Amino acid sequence: MDKINELVRQALSEVIRREMELPQGTVVCVEGVNTTKDLNHSKVSVSVFPEWASEQVIDILNKNSYILHKELNKKLVIRRIPTLKFIPFISLQNSPF
């Protein structure tokens, strides 16, 4: 599963960078992907700079997840392309624990 997660992460990073229209001055980094064993769903952890734009950018990504899914389908040769759900990346550094 790690290989699938890494393939999706790399391809998604490229698609977001090239295809998505995000607010000017924002940078998105796909930190990790966690895909279910049946390849139906993936949670995609993203960090956004500047941090105040994080909620807006994640909303844009989730609203455009179908378009991103179609682009992944063009790039990846795997049995099934999972549906995508974008969530904010929480590093241990920013964790309240």
Side-chain angles (χ1 to χ4, degrees):
M1 199 48 67
D2 289 341
K3 188 172 182 177
I4 298 282
N5 288 336
E6 184 60 21
L7 286 171
V8 171
R9 189 192 69 75
Q10 288 177 357
L12 201 50
S13 294
E14 182 181 330
V15 170
I16 290 171
R17 185 173 45 85
R18 290 185 180 192
E19 305 293 332
M20 295 302 302
E21 290 187 26
L22 298 172
Q24 187 173 1
T26 58
V27 177
V28 176
C29 181
V30 178
E31 299 287 350
V33 176
N34 188 3
T35 305
T36 58
K37 290 181 182 180
D38 60 6
L39 299 178
N40 280 330
H41 306 284
S42 285
K43 286 186 181 177
V44 182
S45 299
V46 294
S47 59
V48 179
F49 182 81
E51 196 171 317
W52 57 262
S54 181
E55 188 175 325
Q56 179 184 13
V57 169
I58 289 173
D59 283 345
I60 291 169
L61 293 173
N62 279 318
K63 287 178 183 173
N64 290 287
S65 64
Y66 180 72
I67 293 167
L68 294 168
H69 183 269
K70 286 189 337 184
E71 291 299 317
L72 285 181
N73 203 24
K74 293 176 188 175
K75 292 189 170 296
L76 297 176
V77 182
I78 57 176
R79 180 172 43 133
R80 175 182 289 153
I81 303 295
T83 57
L84 305 169
K85 168 92 171 120
F86 292 90
I87 58 173
F89 175 71
I90 300 173
S91 69
L92 293 177
Q93 184 178 24
N94 295 334
S95 175
F97 301 104

